[in-house]
């Protein structure tokens, strides 16, 4: 039998905590007693230390290949079948006629491997009758723990940004491209994005907001089928094409405003100036459409 572990010197305990935090940020899963590297490689090995995952940096989003091609290819190949047998995400999404049905369909979906490492399926937060819907990238640690999107530091910043133009947190509606946290907050793969895209597209169609806010390059590129980076997209109104149950553009559109991801703004406070300009653009669009 092993002797009982001696208490750690506080100096070593602090160092150990810092190491664990760094591992978490680097995408290494700590599943005691086994430490194993993440299963899928991040899109880029470069990460800088900091409170937020580097996947939210604008530069990373700019470099990512567009999901459009992957989505189209995956669709042609019947995506949703690639991870596990069963109905595809597109088929399940198409059957949902209400937000509750969609939520149940996503919770029952076993085709995305991210679900196996996540604690919760994260669907949405806020007022279902809200005029504004914010779509972000993926749940982080706090969202995974609580099952609600945008409840961590990035979510608090979005709340403050919206509050600055008089929009209270409970009067908007929020969701993400992915419904499950990527382990260690690693960058979602293009396959994961393509797999989850039918769910968020159906989500937007059923919710039918007046205005979409696309938080970060990944959300903007995925939903707009864009290759342009967020640095060029942000602050420019776009027409989001509402998708039908076949996943194709229905002919109807919703005004959509790409903005920098709040996690990126937390890392780069000087960029909050552009976020403020974007909030003013949102405010004026809302009053125009009153
Ligand atoms: N929390 C979310 O729910 N989504 C993000 O994109 C970031 C943090």
């Amino acid at each position: 039998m092993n002797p009982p572990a001696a208490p750690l010197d506080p100096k070593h305990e602090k160092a150990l905590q810092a190491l664990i935090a760094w591992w978490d940020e680097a995408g290494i899963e700590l599943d005691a007693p086994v430490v194993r590297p993440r299963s899928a490689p991040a899109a880029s090995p470069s990460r800088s230390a900091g409170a937020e995952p580097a996947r939210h940096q604008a530069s990373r989003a700019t470099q990512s290949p567009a999901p459009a091609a992957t989505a189209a290819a995956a669709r042609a190949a019947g995506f949703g079948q690639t991870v596990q047998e069963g109905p595809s995400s597109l088929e399940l999404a198409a059957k949902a006629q209400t937000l509750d049905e969609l939520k149940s369909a996503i919770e029952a979906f076993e085709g995305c491997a991210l679900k196996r490492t996540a604690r919760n399926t994260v669907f949405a937060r806020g007022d279902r009758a809200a005029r504004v819907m914010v779509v972000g990238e993926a749940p982080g640690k706090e969202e995974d723990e609580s099952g609600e999107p945008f409840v961590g530091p990035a979510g608090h910043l979005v709340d403050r940004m919206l509050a600055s133009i008089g929009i209270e947190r409970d009067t908007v509606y929020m969701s993400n491209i992915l419904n499950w946290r990527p382990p260690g907050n690693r960058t979602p793969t293009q396959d994961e994005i393509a797999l989850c895209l039918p769910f968020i597209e159906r989500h937007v169609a059923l919710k039918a907001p007046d205005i979409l806010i696309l938080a970060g390059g990944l959300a903007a590129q995925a939903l707009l089928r864009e290759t342009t980076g967020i640095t060029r997209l942000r602050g420019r109104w776009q027409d989001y094409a509402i998708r039908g149950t076949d996943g194709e553009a229905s002919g109807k559109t919703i005004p959509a405003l790409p903005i920098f991801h709040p996690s990126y703004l937390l890392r780069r406070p000087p960029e909050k100036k552009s976020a403020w300009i974007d909030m003013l653009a949102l405010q004026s669009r809302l009053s125009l459409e009153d």
Side-chain angles (χ1 to χ4, degrees), residues 211-234:
I211 288 177
L212 263 180
I213 299 295
L214 305 176
L218 193 149
Q221 290 181 328
L223 286 184
L224 298 172
R225 306 284 204 268
E226 260 292 346
T227 53
T228 310
I230 189 65
T231 308
R232 292 196 56 209
L233 278 179
R234 71 134 281 278

Side-chain angles (χ1 to χ4, degrees), residues 250-275:
S250 66
K252 294 185 197 139
T253 61
I254 299 174
L257 185 65
I259 64 171
F260 280 139
H261 195 279
S263 298
Y264 173 72
L265 296 174
L266 286 172
R267 299 174 68 90
R268 301 280 298 270
E271 299 289 0
K272 285 185 187 161
K273 196 172 69 181
S274 39

Side-chain angles (χ1 to χ4, degrees), residues 52 55-56 122 135-140 143 148-152 154-155 175-176 215 261-263:
E52 291 291 332
R55 72 176 155 91
H56 295 315
V122 178
V135 180
E137 180 175 321
E143 289 79 13
E148 290 213 325
F150 287 105
V151 292
S175 188
N176 284 305
H261 195 279
S263 298

Side-chain angles (χ1 to χ4, degrees), residues 22-223:
W22 164 242
W23 277 349
D24 188 42
E25 190 180 327
I28 293 171
E29 291 174 321
L30 285 177
D31 206 0
V34 181
V35 176
R36 57 196 152 82
R38 58 175 170 256
S39 48
S44 153
S46 65
R47 281 178 186 266
S48 53
E52 291 291 332
R55 72 176 155 91
H56 295 315
Q57 290 182 24
S59 56
R60 294 281 307 276
T62 310
Q63 291 157 6
S64 316
T70 316
R75 204 168 255 140
F79 66 76
Q81 307 290 344
T82 51
V83 176
Q84 177 175 308
E85 290 302 314
S88 71
S89 46
L90 184 62
E91 286 165 341
L92 287 173
K95 279 195 196 137
Q97 296 303 314
T98 64
L99 289 173
D100 282 333
E101 285 178 14
L102 182 65
K103 183 171 187 280
S104 302
I106 297 172
E107 283 167 351
F109 183 56
E110 295 298 337
C112 181
L114 289 178
K115 190 177 182 185
R116 293 180 206 141
T117 49
R119 289 193 189 183
N120 278 300
T121 298
V122 178
F123 181 67
R125 170 196 125 180
D127 182 0
R128 289 187 174 187
R131 295 181 63 196
V132 177
M133 176 171 182
V134 178
V135 180
E137 180 175 321
K141 187 169 182 285
E142 291 83 359
E143 289 79 13
D144 184 43
E145 281 165 6
S146 68
E148 290 213 325
F150 287 105
V151 292
H156 294 151
L157 179 60
V158 178
D159 292 345
R160 289 202 301 279
M161 284 162 59
L162 291 169
S164 73
I165 54 164
I167 300 178
E168 293 309 320
R169 100 191 268 274
D170 294 336
T171 64
V172 286
Y173 187 76
M174 297 183 174
S175 188
N176 284 305
I177 299 290
L178 300 187
N179 298 100
W180 300 279
R181 181 194 186 200
N185 287 358
R186 68 162 167 73
T187 303
T189 66
Q190 293 302 309
D191 283 348
E192 288 160 355
I193 296 167
L195 196 63
C196 294
L197 203 52
F199 288 138
I200 186 64
E201 288 180 342
R202 187 77 184 131
H203 203 153
V204 175
L206 290 170
K207 163 72 193 81
D210 292 347
I211 288 177
L212 263 180
I213 299 295
L214 305 176
L218 193 149
Q221 290 181 328
L223 286 184

